């Protein structure tokens, strides 16, 4: 994608549980600022596809749903962040996933002076959602067993109670969307990312954002936070002695 702005945004880290709208917001940030989204899951899957030594090592770990060891992650992340399209910033997706990775990222950004650019610490935004509402939204999902069309009884209900608009089949709840499965996914997420959120909170760098609002309202807040971070950082860089 063409870079729309020469403005330096720096790294953006979005934290938030599944269903908080992270994907939607990341996409809007990418489009608005003309910066890439860097998914460590995609980078790893690419290594697996190409059968590189790292890919061979990561394949079975990923298949078990476990985390790839930190030491294996650093090389691929560093390589990707050295690419020229990352010069003005990037949205990190799936990284950092441990406190050690967050510490590594800080050290990396501190040491690395990219060609033509100054250092910039990540802006870390935590999307906060009311778990009861989130659970209600996620468990509202229904699908048609005949044609596969998706509905949500809260936000996108069928015209007639629990029946598919297209073929009249009785809608079903997919296994993945059952309350027990979703609660399990949410608590797994919570346990996994808590240390990352704690790392940034302890440094006073975790910016909370209320995600129980319309996507447009959330986007407006995120752009404000990112613009503010970039402006403060640019000012402090200018104030530094030569
Ligand atoms: P994702 O596409 O983000 O869900 O990632 C898919 C899989 O890749 C995860 O289940 C992990 O096995 C691995 N993975 C992705 N990012 C990381 C990371 N930052 N640290 C360790 N493992 C990761």
């Amino acid at each position: 994608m063409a870079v729309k702005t020469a403005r330096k945004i720096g790294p953006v880290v979005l934290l938030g549980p599944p269903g908080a709208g992270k994907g939607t917001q990341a996409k809007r940030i990418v489009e608005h600022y003309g910066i890439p989204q860097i998914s460590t899951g995609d980078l790893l899957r690419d290594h697996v596809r190409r059968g590189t030594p790292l890919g061979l090592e990561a394949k079975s770990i990923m298949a078990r749903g476990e985390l790839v060891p930190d030491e294996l992650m650093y090389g691929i992340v560093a390589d990707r962040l050295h690419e020229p399209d990352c010069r003005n910033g990037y949205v990190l997706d799936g990284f950092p996933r441990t406190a050690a990775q967050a510490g590594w990222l800080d050290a990396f950004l501190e040491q690395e002076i990219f060609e033509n650019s100054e250092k910039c610490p990540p802006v870390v935004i935590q999307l906060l959602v009311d778990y009861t509402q989130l659970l209600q939204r996620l468990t509202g999902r229904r699908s048609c067993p005949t044609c596969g069309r998706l509905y949500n009884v809260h936000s996108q209900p069928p015209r007639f109670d629990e029946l598919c608009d297209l073929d009249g089949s009785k809608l079903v709840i997919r296994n993945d969307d059952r309350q027990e499965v979703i609660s399990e996914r949410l608590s797994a997420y919570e346990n996994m990312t808590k240390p990352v959120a704690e790392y940034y909170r302890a440094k006073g760098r975790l910016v909370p954002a209320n995600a129980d609002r319309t996507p447009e309202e959330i986007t407006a807040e995120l752009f404000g936070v990112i613009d503010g971070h970039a402006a403060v950082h640019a000012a402090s860089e200018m104030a530094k002695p030569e």
Side-chain angles (χ1 to χ4, degrees):
M1 188 206 290
V3 172
K4 291 176 191 162
T5 168
R7 213 147 48 97
K8 188 163 176 71
I9 306 305
V12 178
V13 174
L14 289 181
L15 302 176
K22 243 180 346 194
T24 306
Q25 297 302 333
K27 192 160 172 279
R28 291 182 180 184
I29 294 170
V30 160
E31 281 167 7
H32 183 76
Y33 294 103
I35 57 176
Q37 181 167 359
I38 299 188
S39 151
T40 43
D42 285 351
L43 293 177
L44 286 167
R45 279 184 287 274
D46 184 51
H47 275 267
V48 171
R49 206 168 28 243
R50 288 188 287 124
T52 65
L54 171 80
L56 294 176
E57 209 166 333
K59 190 175 178 177
S60 55
I61 302 173
M62 291 170 73
R64 291 196 298 274
E66 292 166 11
L67 288 185
V68 171
D70 292 338
E71 293 67 34
L72 293 183
M73 297 304 300
Y74 300 152
I76 56 166
V77 174
D79 283 351
R80 182 62 187 92
L81 300 188
H82 278 126
E83 300 274 329
D85 64 332
C86 291
R87 196 168 289 162
N88 289 322
Y90 38 87
V91 178
L92 283 169
D93 175 0
F95 191 93
R97 260 192 169 81
T98 64
Q101 291 180 3
W104 174 87
L105 181 65
D106 272 345
F108 173 82
L109 294 168
E110 190 55 38
Q111 282 163 16
E112 295 289 321
I113 303 192
F114 296 109
E115 190 189 339
N116 228 349
S117 84
E118 70 283 1
K119 298 175 208 167
C120 189
V123 55
V124 187
I125 306 171
Q126 186 177 36
L127 298 176
L128 294 173
V129 280
D130 178 303
Y131 266 54
T132 316
Q133 274 187 35
L134 180 63
L135 209 56
Q136 198 195 31
R137 191 150 30 98
L138 292 174
T139 52
R141 292 215 292 210
R142 300 286 183 275
S143 69
C144 171
T146 309
C147 70
R149 185 165 175 179
L150 294 175
Y151 297 86
N152 189 301
V153 292
H154 308 293
S155 54
Q156 239 184 332
R159 265 177 290 147
F160 300 106
D161 199 30
E162 303 275 327
L163 298 178
C164 180
D165 290 349
L166 301 180
D167 53 41
S169 303
K170 175 105 180 91
L171 301 180
V172 295
I173 304 178
R174 293 186 312 188
N175 230 358
D176 271 11
D177 294 336
R178 296 196 179 280
Q179 178 145 353
E180 316 83 78
V181 177
I182 289 174
S183 301
E184 182 62 34
R185 266 198 357 239
L186 289 180
S187 64
Y189 173 84
E190 194 67 15
N191 289 336
M192 200 174 71
T193 52
K194 207 179 248 167
V196 177
E198 282 309 319
Y199 173 92
Y200 289 115
R201 198 192 325 269
K203 290 182 178 293
R205 285 164 45 200
L206 189 65
V207 182
N210 172 9
D212 286 322
R213 292 176 295 170
T214 65
E216 289 65 37
E217 286 170 321
I218 302 169
T219 306
E221 177 166 350
L222 298 192
F223 287 176
V225 170
I226 294 169
D227 289 343
H229 177 81
V232 166
H233 185 73
S236 69
E237 279 295 319
M238 274 166 59
K240 277 185 189 164
E242 286 293 307

